[in-house]
């Protein structure tokens, strides 16, 4: 006999509604459980599939292990196809082994599981004090994250395949670049012997403040200015101009220069920066990237605004053949001119670069400009020198006698050359070449534990159904 | 049947009914509790699932969202309880007596006779109308007696209670245990709190004590200097505190005295030892004590005993000088005779209190090579030392100073704060200069230093002209055209006079001479750096045609651009008035007025004793000197040190230490904390944003949990990473 | 020479005209005293610079108010006087910014009196604006950058003329920032020493304005 009987009889429709709800809950729970089981099954199958995969060439496989496996496969079933799944580009020895196997007549079939999806990066050290790192990367659409030993440095989202670049004043190895599908570890180039700057010009405020800004930024500067026919003021040591010692030559005013040595310097790879007035030196007509025709006054009071460069006097530059305009003033800032005025023009001469700036009297930016003018003036010079000067040359290592396998420069192409194209032909870009080859691995994509969530859903639905039934009085 | 028996039976029935009701209600309550706990458990499980599945980052234990979550859970469980109660309200009611009787009969062995039930139906209530017969009475009481005798009834009741309550009770117990252990497990070992105390006025409560580092509990007392009037504060276990420079800091602990070193933290990560500032008292039974004095620079106190060590950073806050402003008199002046009384008024503010205030006068007299100077203080007053603001007044009687022609009096207000150092600087206000004019200077132009030379007062001022023009404009509709024209021409003539006077001032300044000797004007053939174009004046542009060194013969003395603008605006106004259009002249006049006001505020130029103009003939003297200079080397400037790269490297080391040693009390974690404390003390002077970010990092480390976000944010503040644009020309930086 | 003579200012044929901005000698005008007590000094220094160097220079100096930002156009500034010096807040702020950006202020006590009003007040004002004045060692670059002065600052004939403090100051004082002079303070009264018309130099056997040339060359090249 029931302990209690309901004291009132609920109406039929409510009972029916509740019954339908409970039925749905139970159905839902059953479906969720089924889905969970199905997903589990699929994951199992995927796992099993991997286990049943043929020989996997990965980082864990050493040369001797690969050799043993190949020998075993060949002796066990000599006429069968040797199937490989290459998860990571094999080492030179392994490539040689596989190549030999292919040449001996075995049939090799391999799947390419090593490709990274279009990730290429390069790290340079800019020539300059502190030698900041310059990282450039070609990344696919999505998120690109830059990390180093201390954690996340920067992360940005790009809408389409594009080039991204960072300048790092400080970073600790190892540097890693991550996208959604691939991780790349970047080598840090070693620091090289720092080079000096040479400044030529006339004694005056422009010379003084240019040298002051460069020295405060950390550069070593040498050069000389003539104060009187018998007296000069010398900076640093008077070493002859050479690309091993000097990175960039800067000419601030219209002064007498040794055009031949400058030309030699630039053709050997040095950089040359010409400020507005220096473009008028007739001896440099062959080197300069633009011709300076007339002077335009700066906007009155422009030095105190947030665009102080508009307040500086400028030369009107006409780029010569072969030169490229790097920076322009926007049309409306150049008072009255419809077209944009070039501010920075560059040109390649031999292996070096010549950069011309339209500005005169840049020292006014530092003295008369806004409060951040000191810092901004210095940074402007850093940027111009970075454009003009070549990056710090990488140290050359003389490798002791080490057997160099052919094809080290392009391991993927070498592999294809030895054993043929992969079974599923996926065109992938070659991995960045060089002595310091980067390792490319593919990280597992984040998997959402669907089965767990489905299980929880099933439990919840069952609880709801049981609760509803109990509340109704049924068991 | 006797009434007594019936009553006894009835009573027994009632007792049983009560017991059964109790059991039912108890069950309902237990079910409610079970439902609540079940809801809480389920929610907690759902919230902890991400932790278990490791798909989302761990929520920090210090999340403010946890209280919200707890409130939500509590609210939900209350709702569930209410729902269950409502659903079970039927069970809450008393069972009817007949059912009770039936239940009693069922508890007895053998098939039930239902006598008690029948009896209850007939006579259960005292007011029953039908009286049962004797047989029934006897049978009923017999049943009751049997039930009571063998103890069957109590046993049955307790068995039933157990049956009813067993399920929910077990569930409640189990859920409580699961919840409790789950909480303990999720929270991990108790986090140690190491608070950084940021307020130094003693009002923040001391941080909860928890011994760290093996040195035991420390007690830190800060005694501020007496003049500041701050009460002493006591802190328990802090790693960094701020105190007024000059405060005495006493660190006390138990056990053996540690080896203590005190160092001054410099911004370039150098540390200069300052052992003389630290004094250790001999160890007594109470423990050890260290004393030091806070200074303007941060100090780092390291205490070491065996393997344990503690770091304490003492940031000294400088006592700044009072800020003084002289309210009256407001301007410099020139007096013809040294007569008059000036009212003086000044005010000062200080961060800890103004102690004394006065006016200082410096009287200079003399000329040529001989000048004598005396200094006088007037209106000296002492103030209550904790007065953060002070106002004081005085009077200056020029006659009492004994001044003669040519003397200059410089007046300023001076205030000292309560700092006890005798050689300390004091706060001063701006200086007002009062000159007694020499008779010879009365005739020269523009002797006053303050406003620019006023145009002749017989001329109508621009303001007056504007007013008249506005009145004419208002009236012109009612007037005849000829009359409007006449009035307008009259105004135009006055405007022209004013414009010419302003033009005189402009050119007078340019040539440095008064216009009495040589009149300069726009078309006189000299290059003043000012062009006249169509009646208006314009500054020469800096184009190659107008460089001032070519044929320039007059110095450009701070060309007063606003006066040029006033001149041009007056020209526009004059032309409009000449055409009989006062309405068009009004905006131009307003512009002119505004420009004149601006020029009054801009230049405080005075031309006194016209200096002789010597112009060097460069062509004649170039390189005619007998001596020659020599080639000399130039010393190079020092590079501005960039500490951001080193600071970044140190933060990376901290990250590595934290990654290796994840427990909060481990050695690695403590070393990481000390490194961050020192880094923050270094950055206080030159990078306060970075110091603030490090403070947040320290808070995150103290609260336990994941500090990655705080670390990344601190590194970002250093600004070492810059996104750049890539062009084919970029070689390491953008052009 | 009257101000109305027209002069064709060529640059001695060394530089094409208009090529480079010439050096302009600027005198600071401050509110509180007699800033114009040495009006011939600018012409004298300009004359010496033209005599001994090839630096392009404007033939006439300028006067700039210390409170206006126009001083930023002249990174070398000359300040002198007899009367007490008290900078207004705007002058102090402008001067502070000027020195931080790289300007050089040359202050000369026209009284040559260490107890005088100018010396005491100017030192106090400079301490508030730029920092403490320290003695400049006589081996500093300033004394060697063009002409060589072995014993430091050259003595002036006015130092011992009976007025003032009658002391020969062996050092100049300066506010240094990492070895570079920001403020140069002289008690040796160069203002009186150089207050003569430059044409009178031919009557002097020793040109006593050479130190001014050193100062200008130091400012323009260091």
């Amino acid at each position: 006999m029931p302990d209690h009987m309901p004291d009132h009889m609920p109406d039929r429709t409510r009972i029916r509604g509740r019954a339908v709800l409970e039925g749905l809950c139970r159905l839902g729970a059953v479906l969720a459980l089924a889905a969970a089981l199905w997903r589990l099954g699929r994951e199992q199958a995927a796992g099993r599939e991997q286990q049943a995969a043929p020989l996997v060439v990965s980082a864990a496989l050493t040369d001797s292990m690969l050799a043993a496996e190949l020998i075993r496969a060949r002796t066990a079933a000599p006429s069968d196809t040797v199937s490989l799944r290459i998860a990571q580009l094999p080492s030179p020895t392994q490539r040689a082994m596989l190549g030999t196997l292919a040449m001996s007549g075995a049939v090799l079939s391999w799947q390419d599981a090593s490709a990274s999806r279009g990730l290429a990066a390069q790290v340079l050290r800019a020539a300059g004090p502190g030698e900041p790192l310059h990282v450039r990367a070609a990344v696919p659409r999505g998120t690109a994250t830059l990390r180093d030993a201390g954690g996340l440095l920067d992360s940005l989202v790009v809408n389409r395949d594009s080039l991204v670049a960072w300048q790092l004043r400080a970073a600790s190895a190892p540097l890693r670049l991550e996208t959604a599908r691939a991780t790349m570890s970047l080598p840090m180039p070693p620091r090289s012997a720092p080079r000096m700057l040479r400044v030529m010009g006339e004694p005056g405020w422009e010379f003084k403040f240019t040298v002051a800004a460069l020295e405060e930024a950390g550069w070593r500067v040498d050069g000389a200015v003539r104060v009187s026919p018998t007296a000069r003021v010398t900076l640093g040591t008077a070493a002859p101009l050479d690309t091993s010692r000097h990175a960039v030559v800067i000419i601030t005013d219209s002064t007498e220069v040794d055009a031949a040595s400058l030309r030699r310097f630039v053709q050997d790879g040095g950089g040359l920066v010409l400020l507005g007035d220096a473009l008028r030196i007739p001896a440099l007509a062959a080197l300069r990237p633009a011709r300076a025709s007339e002077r335009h006054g700066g906007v009155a009071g422009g030095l105190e605004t947030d665009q102080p460069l508009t307040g500086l006097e400028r030369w009107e530059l006409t780029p010569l053949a072969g030169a490229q305009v790097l920076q322009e003033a926007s049309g409306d800032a150049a008072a009255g001119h419809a077209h944009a005025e070039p501010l920075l023009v560059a040109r390649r001469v031999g292996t070096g670069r010549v950069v011309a700036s339209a500005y005169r009297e840049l020292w006014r930016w530092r003295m008369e400009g806004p409060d951040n003018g000191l810092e901004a003036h210095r940074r402007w010079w850093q940027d111009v020198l970075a454009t003009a000067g070549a990056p710090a040359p990488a140290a050359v290592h003389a490798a002791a006698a080490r057997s160099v396998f052919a094809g080290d420069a392009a391991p993927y192409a070498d592999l294809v050359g030895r054993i043929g194209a992969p079974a599923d032909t996926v065109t992938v870009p070659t991995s960045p070449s060089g002595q310091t080859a980067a390792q490319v691995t593919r990280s597992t994509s984040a998997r959402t534990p669907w089965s767990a969530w489905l299980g929880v859903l099933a439990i919840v639905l069952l609880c709801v159904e049981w609760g509803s039934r109990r509340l109704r009085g049924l068991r | 049947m006797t009434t007594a028996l019936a009553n006894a039976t009835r009573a027994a029935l009632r007792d049983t009914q009560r017991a059964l009701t109790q059991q039912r209600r108890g069950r309902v309550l237990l079910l409610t509790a079970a439902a609540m706990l079940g809801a809480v458990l389920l929610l907690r499980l759902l919230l902890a699932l991400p932790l278990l599945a490791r798909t989302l980052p761990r929520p920090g234990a210090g999340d403010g969202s946890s209280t919200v979550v707890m409130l939500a859970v509590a609210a939900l469980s209350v709702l569930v309880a209410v729902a269950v109660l409502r659903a079970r309200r039927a069970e809450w009611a008393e069972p009817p007596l007949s059912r009770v009787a039936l239940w009693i009969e069922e508890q007895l062995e053998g098939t039930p006779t239902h006598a008690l039930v029948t009896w209850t139906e007939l006579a259960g209530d005292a007011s029953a109308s039908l009286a049962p017969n004797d047989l029934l009475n006897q049978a009923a009481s017999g049943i009751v007696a049997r039930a009571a005798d063998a103890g069957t009834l109590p046993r049955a009741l307790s068995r039933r209670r157990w049956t009813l309550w067993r399920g929910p009770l077990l569930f409640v117990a189990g859920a409580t245990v699961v919840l409790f252990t789950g909480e303990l497990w999720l929270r991990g070992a108790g986090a140690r709190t190491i608070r950084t105390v940021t307020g130094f006025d003693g009002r923040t409560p001391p941080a909860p004590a928890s011994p760290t580092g093996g040195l035991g509990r420390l007690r830190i007392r800060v005694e501020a200097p007496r003049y500041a009037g701050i009460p002493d504060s006591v802190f328990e276990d802090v790693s960094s505190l701020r105190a007024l420079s000059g405060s005495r800091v006493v660190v006390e602990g138990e056990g053996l005295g540690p080896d203590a070193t005190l160092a001054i933290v410099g911004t370039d990560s150098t540390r200069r030892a300052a052992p003389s500032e630290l004094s250790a008292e001999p160890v007594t039974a109470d423990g050890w004590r260290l004393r030091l004095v806070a200074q303007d620079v941060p100090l780092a106190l390291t205490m070491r005993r065996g393997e344990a060590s503690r770091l304490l950073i003492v940031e000294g806050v400088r006592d700044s000088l009072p800020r003084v402003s002289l309210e009256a008199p407001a301007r410099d002046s020139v007096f013809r005779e040294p007569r008059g009384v000036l009212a003086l008024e000044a005010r000062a503010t200080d961060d800890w209190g103004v102690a004394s205030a006065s006016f200082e006068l410096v009287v200079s007299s003399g000329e040529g090579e001989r000048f004598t100077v005396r200094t006088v203080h007037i209106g000296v007053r002492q103030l209550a030392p904790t007065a953060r603001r002070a106002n004081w007044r005085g009077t200056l009687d020029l006659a009492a100073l004994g001044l003669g022609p040519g003397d200059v009096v410089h007046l300023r207000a001076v205030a000292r704060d309560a700092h006890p150092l005798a050689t300390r600087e004091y706060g001063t206000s701006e200086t007002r200069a009062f000159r007694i004019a020499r008779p010879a200077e009365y005739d020269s132009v523009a002797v006053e230093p303050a406003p620019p030379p006023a145009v002749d007062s017989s001329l109508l001022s621009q303001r007056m002209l504007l007013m008249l023009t506005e009145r004419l404009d208002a009236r012109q509709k009612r007037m005849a055209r000829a009359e409007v024209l006449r009035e307008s021409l009259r105004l135009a003539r006055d405007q022209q006079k004013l414009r010419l006077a302003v033009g005189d001032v402009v050119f007078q300044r340019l040539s440095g001479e008064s216009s009495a000797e040589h009149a300069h004007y726009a078309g006189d053939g000299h290059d003043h750096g000012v062009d006249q174009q169509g009646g208006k004046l314009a500054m020469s542009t800096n184009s190659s045609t107008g460089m001032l060194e070519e044929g320039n013969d007059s110095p450009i003395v701070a060309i007063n651009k606003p006066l040029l603008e006033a001149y041009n605006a007056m020209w526009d106004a004059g032309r409009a008035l000449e055409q009989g259009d006062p309405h068009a002249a009004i905006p131009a006049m307003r512009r002119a007025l505004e420009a004149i006001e601006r020029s009054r505020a801009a230049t405080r130029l005075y031309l006194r004793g016209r200096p002789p103009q010597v112009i060097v003939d460069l062509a004649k003297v170039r390189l005619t000197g007998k001596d020659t200079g020599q080639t000399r080397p130039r010393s190079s400037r020092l590079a501005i040190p960039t500490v951001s790269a080193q600071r970044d490297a140190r933060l990376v080391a901290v990250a590595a230490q934290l990654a290796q040693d994840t427990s909060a009390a481990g050695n690695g974690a403590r070393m990481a904390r000390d490194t961050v404390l020192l880094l923050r003390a270094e950055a206080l002077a030159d990078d306060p944003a970075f110091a603030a970010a490090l403070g947040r990092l320290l808070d995150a480390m103290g609260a336990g949990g994941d500090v990655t976000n705080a670390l990344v944010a601190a590194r970002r503040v250093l600004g070492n990473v810059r996104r750049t644009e890539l062009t084919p020309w970029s070689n390491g930086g953008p052009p | 020479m009257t101000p109305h003579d027209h002069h064709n200012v060529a640059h001695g044929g060394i530089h094409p005209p208009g090529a480079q901005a010439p050096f302009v000698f600027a005198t600071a005008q401050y509110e509180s005293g007699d800033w114009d007590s040495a009006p011939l000094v600018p012409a004298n220094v300009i004359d010496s610079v033209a005599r001994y160097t090839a630096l392009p220079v404007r033939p006439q100096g300028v006067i700039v108010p210390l409170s206006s930002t126009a001083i930023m156009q002249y990174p070398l500034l000359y300040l002198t006087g007899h009367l007490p010096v008290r900078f207004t807040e705007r002058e102090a702020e402008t001067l502070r910014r000027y020195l931080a950006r790289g300007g050089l202020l040359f202050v000369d006590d026209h009284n040559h009196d260490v107890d005088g009003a100018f010396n005491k007040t100017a030192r106090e004002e400079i301490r508030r604006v730029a920092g403490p004045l320290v003695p400049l060692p006589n081996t500093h670059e300033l004394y060697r950058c063009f002409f060589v002065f072995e014993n430091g600052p050259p003595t002036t004939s006015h130092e011992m003329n009976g007025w003032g403090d009658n002391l020969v100051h062996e050092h100049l004082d300066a506010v240094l920032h990492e070895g570079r002079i920001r403020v140069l303070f002289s008690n040796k009264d160069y203002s009186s020493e150089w207050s003569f018309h430059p044409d009178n130099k031919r009557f002097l056997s020793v040109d006593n304005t050479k130190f001014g040339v050193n100062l200008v060359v130091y400012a323009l090249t260091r």
Side-chain angles (χ1 to χ4, degrees), chain B residues 146-223:
Chain B
R146 238 177 51 211
D149 270 344
T152 337
L153 198 53
R155 261 205 319 275
L157 278 173
S158 59
R159 210 173 40 239
R160 192 192 132 95
R161 188 184 310 128
W162 175 240
T163 319
L164 278 183
W165 289 9
R166 171 178 61 196
L169 200 58
L170 281 177
F171 185 77
V172 165
T176 317
V177 166
V178 167
L179 269 176
F180 191 63
T181 52
E183 289 297 323
L184 278 186
W185 178 73
L186 280 173
R187 274 193 215 274
R192 318 234 172 232
T193 47
I194 295 175
R195 292 265 300 274
T196 308
V197 177
T198 49
F200 67 100
D201 54 0
R203 280 202 287 271
T204 51
S210 51
T212 51
L215 271 180
R217 288 176 115 91
L218 293 184
R219 202 164 142 267
I220 302 163
R221 196 168 70 237
V222 178
E223 295 161 15

Side-chain angles (χ1 to χ4, degrees), chain B residues 12 73 128 142 151 158-160 166 177 262 322 328 339 354 423 427 501 571 583 614 658-659 676-677 687-688 727:
Chain B
V73 166
S158 59
R159 210 173 40 239
R160 192 192 132 95
R166 171 178 61 196
V177 166
L262 186 66
R339 263 207 325 254
V354 181
T423 56
W571 173 269
H583 188 74
V614 177
L658 286 174
V676 177
L677 276 170
D687 199 348
T727 67

Side-chain angles (χ1 to χ4, degrees), chain B residues 406-459:
Chain B
D407 289 356
V408 184
V409 178
H410 292 274
L411 167 75
R412 67 179 182 176
V414 161
R416 284 178 200 273
D417 63 359
H419 199 273
L421 189 62
T423 56
R424 186 170 161 79
E425 288 195 16
Y426 41 86
T428 60
S429 71
E430 285 209 358
T431 305
R432 307 274 179 248
F434 306 107
R435 274 178 23 92
I436 312 295
R438 289 208 175 84
E441 291 168 350
Y442 292 171
D443 299 333
S444 61
V445 178
V447 172
E448 301 144 19
V455 274
D456 189 352
S457 54
S458 66
L459 295 171

Side-chain angles (χ1 to χ4, degrees), chain B residues 244-565:
Chain B
L244 181 60
S245 171
S247 305
R248 277 191 303 279
V249 178
V250 181
V251 183
E252 296 168 340
E254 292 159 356
L256 297 172
D259 296 325
T261 48
L262 186 66
I264 296 174
V265 180
T267 49
D268 50 356
S269 76
T270 56
R271 241 158 280 155
R272 292 197 319 276
S276 55
E277 311 285 338
L278 181 66
S279 67
E281 292 186 354
V283 180
T284 62
D286 292 336
W288 49 269
R289 192 177 295 172
L290 293 169
R291 286 181 195 278
L292 55 99
V293 177
Q295 307 183 343
D296 287 348
V297 287
L299 296 171
L301 175 68
T302 319
M303 295 167 281
R304 219 168 257 121
R305 186 168 66 199
E307 290 206 346
S309 78
R310 277 292 301 277
L311 178 67
L312 176 69
I313 302 278
V314 177
E315 298 169 40
V317 176
R318 194 169 303 197
D319 183 1
S320 55
L321 297 174
R323 282 202 301 277
V324 189
S325 71
L326 187 60
E327 306 286 326
R331 287 172 170 269
D332 300 347
S333 299
V334 178
F335 296 90
R336 278 186 179 236
E337 289 173 12
R339 263 207 325 254
V341 175
L342 294 170
L344 312 172
E345 187 186 331
R347 68 179 63 167
T349 57
D350 185 55
D351 50 355
W352 293 110
V354 181
S356 72
S358 65
F359 294 98
E360 182 195 73
L361 294 166
V362 178
V363 181
S364 343
S365 41
E367 59 178 338
E369 288 281 321
R370 293 153 51 174
F371 281 89
T372 56
V373 164
R374 55 198 159 102
T375 311
V376 177
H377 285 266
I378 58 177
V380 181
R381 92 190 37 195
Q382 308 290 337
L383 301 159
T386 50
R388 305 252 162 128
R389 283 176 205 281
N391 288 356
W392 64 104
R393 290 173 203 263
T395 50
L396 172 61
D397 186 3
L398 289 174
L401 287 175
L403 301 168
D407 289 356
V408 184
V409 178
H410 292 274
L411 167 75
R412 67 179 182 176
V414 161
R416 284 178 200 273
D417 63 359
H419 199 273
L421 189 62
T423 56
R424 186 170 161 79
E425 288 195 16
Y426 41 86
T428 60
S429 71
E430 285 209 358
T431 305
R432 307 274 179 248
F434 306 107
R435 274 178 23 92
I436 312 295
R438 289 208 175 84
E441 291 168 350
Y442 292 171
D443 299 333
S444 61
V445 178
V447 172
E448 301 144 19
V455 274
D456 189 352
S457 54
S458 66
L459 295 171
L460 284 178
S461 72
Q462 184 64 48
R463 203 181 288 276
M464 191 73 187
L465 272 174
L466 177 62
M467 209 164 65
L468 290 171
T469 314
E470 279 174 343
R471 261 196 228 143
L472 178 63
D473 181 43
R475 280 183 319 166
Q476 72 172 335
K477 290 196 183 54
R478 288 177 264 134
M479 289 163 55
R481 177 70 192 158
E483 201 176 322
V484 168
L485 202 57
R486 203 169 42 239
E487 292 288 325
S488 178
L489 280 174
R490 201 174 336 176
L491 286 172
R493 266 199 303 276
D494 288 325
Q495 178 74 82
Q496 187 191 20
K497 279 194 213 149
L498 192 58
R499 178 171 59 85
L500 288 176
V502 168
D504 272 353
V505 171
V506 167
F507 288 107
Q508 169 190 331
R509 287 206 185 151
L510 291 180
S511 66
E513 298 180 354
S514 73
S515 52
E517 284 201 14
H518 279 271
H520 280 250
Y521 46 92
D524 62 359
H526 296 169
D527 183 357
H528 301 285
V530 164
D531 301 331
Q532 183 157 48
Q533 295 157 6
K536 290 202 190 172
L537 299 177
M539 295 282 297
S540 292
T541 56
N542 283 344
S543 55
S544 53
T545 51
M547 285 312 285
L548 291 165
E549 63 263 23
E550 313 266 3
N552 174 29
D553 60 352
S554 47
I556 305 295
V557 183
I559 289 183
N560 201 343
K561 281 208 203 86
L563 273 187
L564 280 181
E565 285 172 32

